[in-house]
């Protein structure tokens, strides 16, 4: 019987059906960071439990680490306490830990793939909503809460309800200046932030076949913003080429054997899905959000919609968004003045993202009224970027070059918006207060679009600078 990848992987990892109707699912890789793990480890201590599978557990720090300095102790006492806690917990429980200066520290969803920890056919969990990123490799990956972090640490398993699977088929070649970030923002605009509730998304079609692994990661990363539990792309030759030689991947003959198994878990032809959606992106322009959730996005060539064009809760949210953002219905998004430009995050802090942004910045200067920062997604990304001279391109243009971390994506560190500042951001969420100021405002866009906005001081169609 033809089956999709999600169901194949689920069946291989399902230990048993629970009385609640949920499944007890074995987790092949557990990624942890400093924010959602301290309480979980403390719960283990109180129950006198060990980490069941320390070899399947990997820790790093990303959310609270300052990106302007690495000096310890951190000025923020809470951040320092979290740092001390994960250092102690990793040591005491025998968990592999990549700390700043190790050369492998970074945002958890960046280091997993670049180290080869993330592999096809895996079940992956992390106490972070954007764990869906790892689905780009044909894994099924879930963001979990602290109590589930405890469960996975203690047993290697978690209780979870099985979602249905929706096939998202995307066709068309992207124009120059249009990226995978624009594709996922368009999908979320079309299906809504609640469109994926109860589903996992399988991304397919020629557009995804052409995408690089890093582009696929950006799309899978923001799956959660569309309400879906997970998102994935079937593994193919691009997947295998990316993984071959990575530190934690099988080597030699073992890699060849693994590759054959990875091929076998891909969705079978003629598989039926619980739901499906098709979209053509051949005429897609760069996307920019105008509101307070990722669904509220338009092409840079469009005008901000009128709340009257919506109904029910969407109308009320649109009215709330215009009031918060200080925008008027019908005004063009292009030309909107910005105060801050942020390039980074687990969505768009990889080497390919920095390369595209650097192309826009090369030989140009950031507008004097804009504070612009670039935050590599990991120490490895930073090292590679510096080897290629990207840091100098950004610095010469007027960007601040930072250490690896989550930075301004969620502002659980010193990188925050001030007051009513408006940010052009390559991150994943534009919620009220997301970037550190309750009255701050966020426009989501691709890294190249952020670079263009920084140079011009306003939202600009990056294609005009190419």
């Amino acid at each position: 019987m033809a089956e999709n990848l999600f169901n194949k992987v689920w069946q291989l990892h399902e230990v048993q059906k629970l009385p609640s109707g949920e499944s007890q699912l074995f987790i092949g890789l557990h990624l942890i960071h400093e924010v959602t793990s301290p309480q979980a480890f403390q719960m283990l201590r109180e129950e006198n439990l060990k980490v069941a599978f320390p070899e399947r557990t990997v820790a790093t720090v990303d959310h609270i680490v300052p990106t302007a300095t690495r000096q310890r102790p951190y000025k923020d006492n809470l951040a320092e306490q979290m740092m001390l806690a994960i250092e102690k917990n990793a040591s005491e429980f025998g968990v592999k830990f990549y700390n700043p200066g190790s050369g492998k520290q970074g945002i958890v969803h960046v280091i997993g793939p670049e180290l080869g920890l993330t592999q096809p056919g895996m079940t992956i969990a992390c106490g972070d909503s954007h764990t869906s990123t790892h689905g780009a490799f044909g894994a099924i990956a879930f963001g979990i809460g602290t109590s589930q972090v405890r469960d996975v640490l203690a047993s290697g398993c978690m209780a979870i309800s099985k979602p249905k699977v929706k096939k998202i088929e995307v066709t068309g070649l992207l124009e120059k200046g249009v990226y995978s970030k624009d594709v996922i923002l368009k999908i979320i605009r079309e299906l809504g932030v609640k469109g994926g509730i109860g589903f996992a998304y399988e991304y397919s079609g020629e557009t995804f076949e052409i995408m690089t692994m890093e582009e696929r990661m950006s799309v899978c990363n923001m799956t959660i913003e569309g309400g879906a539990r997970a998102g994935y792309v079937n593994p193919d030759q691009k997947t295998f080429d990316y993984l071959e030689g990575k530190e934690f991947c099988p080597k030699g003959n073992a890699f060849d054997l693994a590759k054959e198994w990875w091929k076998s878990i891909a969705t079978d032809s003629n598989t039926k899905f619980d739901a499906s959606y098709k979209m053509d992106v051949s005429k897609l322009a760069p996307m920019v959000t105008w509101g307070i959730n990722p669904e509220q996005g338009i092409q840079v060539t469009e005008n901000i919609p009128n709340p009257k064009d919506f109904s029910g809760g969407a109308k009320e949210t649109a009215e709330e968004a215009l009031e918060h953002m200080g925008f008027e219905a019908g005004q063009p998004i292009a030309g909107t003045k910005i105060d801050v430009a942020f390039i980074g995050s687990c969505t768009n802090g990889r080497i390919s993202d920095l390369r595209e942004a650097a192309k826009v910045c090369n030989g140009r200067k950031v507008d004097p009224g804009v504070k612009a920062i670039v935050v590599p997604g990991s120490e490895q990304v930073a090292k590679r970027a510096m080897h290629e001279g990207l840091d100098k391109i950004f610095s010469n243009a007027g960007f601040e070059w930072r250490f690896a971390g989550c930075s301004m994506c969620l502002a659980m560190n010193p990188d925050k918006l001030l007051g009513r500042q408006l940010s052009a951001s390559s991150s994943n969420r534009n919620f009220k207060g997301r970037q550190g100021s309750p009255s701050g405002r966020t426009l989501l866009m691709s890294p190249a679009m952020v670079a263009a906005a920084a140079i011009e001081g306003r939202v600009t169609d990056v294609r005009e600078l190419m």
Side-chain angles (χ1 to χ4, degrees):
M1 182 176 176
E3 193 58 274
N4 61 56
L5 178 145
F6 188 91
N7 289 336
K8 289 183 184 182
V9 176
W10 187 282
Q11 291 162 12
L12 288 168
H13 292 80
E14 186 179 52
V15 178
Q16 63 176 328
K17 293 281 189 183
L18 300 172
S20 64
E22 295 175 302
S23 294
Q24 181 186 10
L25 198 69
F26 181 76
I27 300 302
L29 173 66
H30 188 197
L31 300 167
I32 60 177
H33 58 83
E34 75 280 15
V35 175
T36 53
S37 66
Q39 304 93 324
F41 278 110
Q42 185 57 34
M43 293 175 194
L44 262 61
R45 286 192 185 90
E46 292 170 358
E47 298 295 332
N48 197 29
L49 296 172
K50 296 180 179 180
V51 173
F53 298 97
E55 72 280 7
R56 295 179 179 271
T57 310
V58 178
T60 190
V61 287
D62 51 14
H63 285 60
I64 55 90
V65 292
T67 63
T69 179
R70 282 290 188 251
Q71 186 174 350
R72 298 279 301 277
Y74 297 148
K75 290 182 179 179
D76 184 332
N77 183 59
L78 179 58
E80 179 63 22
Q81 293 306 311
M82 286 184 178
M83 190 70 179
L84 291 170
I86 197 165
E87 290 171 334
K88 176 184 177 182
N89 291 330
S91 176
E92 181 179 333
F93 288 89
V95 171
K96 188 184 296 293
F97 174 50
Y98 294 118
N99 60 317
S102 65
K104 298 176 184 178
Q105 173 265 339
I107 304 175
V108 67
H109 309 311
V110 176
I111 72 164
E114 72 183 9
L115 291 171
L117 291 162
T118 303
Q119 298 173 24
M122 275 187 164
T123 48
I124 300 174
C126 176
D128 185 279
S129 55
H130 294 99
T131 308
S132 52
T133 306
H134 305 267
F137 291 82
I140 60 175
F142 307 103
I144 59 177
T146 295
S147 61
Q148 288 177 303
V149 173
R150 171 204 61 196
D151 295 345
V152 179
L153 287 173
S155 69
C157 298
M158 59 183 264
I160 182 173
S161 297
K162 184 182 179 184
K164 297 177 181 179
V165 184
K166 180 181 288 188
K167 182 179 182 179
I168 309 292
E169 184 177 354
V170 183
T171 58
L173 302 179
L174 297 176
E175 293 184 10
K176 187 175 182 180
V178 183
Y179 301 90
S180 63
K181 179 68 162 288
D182 303 305
V183 173
I184 186 58
L185 285 173
K186 178 66 171 176
I187 290 172
I188 296 171
R189 172 183 172 175
E190 294 295 318
L191 299 181
V193 291
K194 297 181 180 179
I197 293 177
F199 287 94
Y201 284 169
E202 173 173 307
Y203 296 107
S204 65
E206 64 174 346
T207 309
F208 282 98
E209 293 170 4
I210 295 169
M211 283 184 187
T212 65
M213 291 307 299
E214 295 195 348
E215 289 173 320
R216 295 174 186 179
M217 281 186 257
S218 294
V219 172
C220 290
N221 174 275
M222 289 191 65
T223 298
I224 194 71
E225 306 306 335
R229 195 69 176 89
Y232 67 92
V233 180
N234 282 294
D236 58 11
Q237 191 58 47
K238 287 186 178 181
T239 315
F240 311 145
D241 291 343
Y242 179 96
L243 289 173
E244 189 168 12
K246 292 285 191 292
E247 181 176 351
F248 289 96
C249 268
K251 303 294 190 299
N253 185 55
F255 183 82
D256 294 332
L257 291 173
K259 188 165 65 172
E260 290 308 307
W261 184 75
W262 293 340
K263 290 178 182 178
S264 74
I265 61 164
T267 295
D268 299 321
S269 58
N270 301 318
T271 298
K272 291 185 178 180
F273 290 83
D274 299 297
S276 61
Y277 180 79
K278 293 185 178 181
M279 187 173 77
D280 179 18
V281 293
S282 57
K283 296 182 180 179
L284 182 66
M287 295 285 293
V288 182
T289 59
W290 55 270
I292 54 176
N293 68 46
E295 176 184 333
Q296 295 175 321
I298 55 177
Q299 298 181 86
V300 69
T301 53
E302 295 180 300
N303 296 340
I304 295 172
N306 194 315
K308 295 179 181 179
D309 297 332
F310 302 96
S311 59
K315 179 181 179 181
E316 294 177 2
T317 304
E319 291 172 344
E320 180 185 357
L322 290 185
E323 180 179 1
H324 177 76
M325 299 298 290
F327 293 158
E328 294 183 3
Q331 78 176 70
I333 193 70
T336 302
K337 185 181 180 299
I338 70 162
D339 304 299
V340 176
F342 168 60
I343 296 174
S345 82
C346 60
T347 314
N348 285 124
R350 299 176 180 84
I351 189 65
S352 59
D353 300 309
L354 303 191
R355 286 171 181 157
E356 290 302 310
K359 289 178 185 177
V360 178
C361 295
N362 198 10
R364 297 187 170 106
K365 294 290 184 182
V366 170
D367 183 272
V370 175
K371 175 183 174 64
I373 65 173
V374 178
V375 185
S378 72
E379 291 182 336
Q380 287 200 51
V381 170
K383 182 178 180 180
R384 192 167 180 179
M386 293 169 74
H387 177 74
E388 296 178 14
L390 303 186
D391 60 322
K392 290 184 173 59
I393 291 175
F394 286 119
S395 296
N396 291 338
F399 276 83
E400 295 178 30
W401 178 258
R402 298 293 190 85
F403 293 103
C406 291
S407 184
M408 194 176 278
C409 175
L410 80 170
M412 291 182 72
N413 50 73
D415 300 340
K416 305 176 188 293
L417 294 183
L418 303 175
R420 288 278 292 163
Q421 283 184 326
L422 190 146
S423 166
S425 176
S426 69
S427 55
N428 42 49
R429 286 183 174 160
N430 54 340
F431 302 161
K432 288 181 177 180
R434 170 71 177 182
Q435 292 196 284
S437 169
S439 58
R441 299 165 294 162
T442 302
L443 307 179
L444 301 179
M445 57 189 80
S446 72
M449 281 286 288
V450 174
I455 298 300
E456 297 294 322
R458 55 185 173 80
V459 176
T460 300
D461 189 335
V462 68
R463 295 174 298 180
E464 297 174 4
L465 302 184
M466 289 183 165

